[in-house]
Amino acid sequence: MNSPRVVLIIINYNGKNHLAQCLDSLFAQTYKNFEVVVADNHSSDGSVAFVQKHYPQVEVMAHNKNLGYGKAINLAVKARISQKEFQYFGILNNDIKLDPQWLEKLVAYSQKNPQAGILSGKILLYHWPKYVNSTGVNINYFGYGWDRDFFCEDKLCQRQSGPVLAVTGSATLIKRGVFEAAGFYDHDYFLYYE
């Protein structure tokens, strides 16, 4: 399989207690052609020093104020998009633990399905991992988004891979061409729906 380069961007705000688990799950990935950036939104809990001390291979973008989710992503993506070796951008919350094959499976799926520009896997609830958090996002008649299959038991949720209206932002892989064609996250939304 061709091994395109990926930059994985973790958006962090006072998430020091979560960062070790998140970063350890990244460095345990079976897919190895990536680098990691922590975009820190002016944390006051020592997050930046923690990452710099324990994960020196991670680049930290330390902002001087809380820019919000979308704007922090945009700055990190814009810093890398001109570097043509990066074909994918992973956008990650700080409080996740990825399956070791998460990145390998998403890149492989993307290469087999070139029409898929934004990808995510099944997301399980952090404290109750036998239940699903999301298998994609739907929108109701009033324009509100909701997570498909929320709180369904994982072993009973047998969704096939395929198109969805949207994906949750907690663990997303986006082709560089999507940013080039559609633009960046809408940072008028400080958090959620961006």
Side-chain angles (χ1 to χ4, degrees), residues 152-170:
C152 290
E153 202 169 342
D154 180 35
K155 67 181 181 182
L156 301 176
C157 184
Q158 301 299 317
R159 293 270 183 190
Q160 297 297 313
S161 298
V164 293
L165 182 62
V167 297
T168 184
S170 63

Side-chain angles (χ1 to χ4, degrees), residues 14-28:
N14 290 331
K16 178 182 171 187
N17 292 338
H18 300 291
L19 284 170
Q21 178 177 262
C22 178
L23 288 165
D24 289 347
S25 77
L26 289 183
F27 292 114

